Amino acid sequence: MSINLSKGQRIDLTKTNPGLTKVILGLGWDTNKYTGGGEIDLDASAFLLHQDGKARDEKDFVFYNALIAYNGAVEHTGDNRTGEGDGDDEQIKIDFAKVPSQIDRIGITVTIHDAETKHQNFGQISNAFVRLVDEATGREVLRYDLGEDFSVETAIVFCELYRHGLDWKFQAIGSGFSGGLAALCRNYGLSV
């Protein structure tokens, strides 16, 4: 049975789920019907962070143009440009056994591609969620529904996975940023 999380909530992943080594983070959303601006293209990304909470360089950043980091420790399964249909719109796979020891946490984010040019923001998005699935069994371990708390933001940190001793934990973040992917990169220590 999947656990539903609220903003700010943390949960043990590997301690309470022995044998959980490979997970799929499914991210999904719907676009509200509105006029102007054209299709809304949302993009999931993963920032692999060191103990200082920063990525060192572009190899610590997984997105639609750089799909794999650290020999498959983190893998983006590909860009979905429309978000049409039910279920996950984009997925990021993580193999905890392959994550290098210097990576302390992994930030999972979603941004709106060309948001400034198209005058788009997360106020035009609904039903946004992230769910974590055990890749071996297909069982949904947890789900975090973001709610409708965003209006002008163009980027959101959905969640973070982080080390706690030898175990991994999950934190529901739901923090919005203006300035799109560039703002997130700066937040996580990457120059744009």
Side-chain angles (χ1 to χ4, degrees):
M1 174 139 162
S2 180
I3 298 170
N4 283 319
L5 298 179
S6 304
K7 183 174 180 165
Q9 227 177 338
R10 300 169 189 255
I11 188 170
D12 280 313
L13 289 177
T14 54
K15 191 177 199 176
T16 53
N17 297 282
L20 183 67
T21 56
K22 293 181 178 182
V23 298
I24 300 169
L25 290 160
L27 300 115
W29 50 80
D30 294 323
T31 55
N32 299 334
K33 300 295 177 218
Y34 74 104
T35 55
E39 294 288 326
I40 300 179
D41 177 12
L42 275 71
D43 296 312
S45 303
F47 290 87
L48 287 75
L49 310 173
H50 297 255
Q51 273 196 310
D52 62 359
K54 303 293 181 191
R56 294 280 185 264
D57 54 42
E58 56 275 349
K59 76 174 182 289
D60 292 337
F61 178 41
V62 175
F63 68 115
Y64 59 85
N65 273 343
L67 296 175
I68 296 177
Y70 297 104
N71 298 315
V74 178
E75 178 183 352
H76 190 303
T77 61
D79 190 15
N80 175 339
R81 293 177 183 248
T82 65
E84 290 293 317
D86 292 332
D88 301 339
D89 291 311
E90 293 192 10
Q91 293 182 332
I92 295 173
K93 295 180 177 186
I94 299 174
D95 183 342
F96 293 129
K98 289 184 178 180
V99 176
S101 59
Q102 72 268 21
I103 301 300
D104 198 51
R105 61 179 54 231
I106 301 169
I108 304 297
T109 67
V110 175
T111 55
I112 300 173
H113 185 70
D114 282 339
E116 310 300 320
T117 308
K118 295 180 179 179
H119 305 291
Q120 296 172 342
N121 58 57
F122 273 92
Q124 298 158 330
I125 303 299
S126 58
N127 305 318
F129 69 87
V130 57
R131 64 191 196 105
L132 186 137
V133 175
D134 181 339
E135 187 175 352
T137 65
R139 178 179 67 92
E140 182 176 291
V141 176
L142 62 85
R143 180 182 180 100
Y144 169 44
D145 293 298
L146 273 75
E148 309 296 322
D149 298 337
F150 306 100
S151 55
V152 299
E153 294 85 356
T154 55
I156 297 177
V157 177
F158 274 44
C159 63
E160 288 185 352
L161 292 88
Y162 63 97
R163 289 184 196 272
H164 184 77
L166 297 175
D167 293 307
W168 283 88
K169 292 188 173 196
F170 178 101
Q171 181 177 7
I173 304 277
S175 178
F177 287 77
S178 294
L181 186 56
L184 283 178
C185 286
R186 283 190 296 275
N187 178 63
Y188 284 128
L190 295 176
S191 55
V192 180

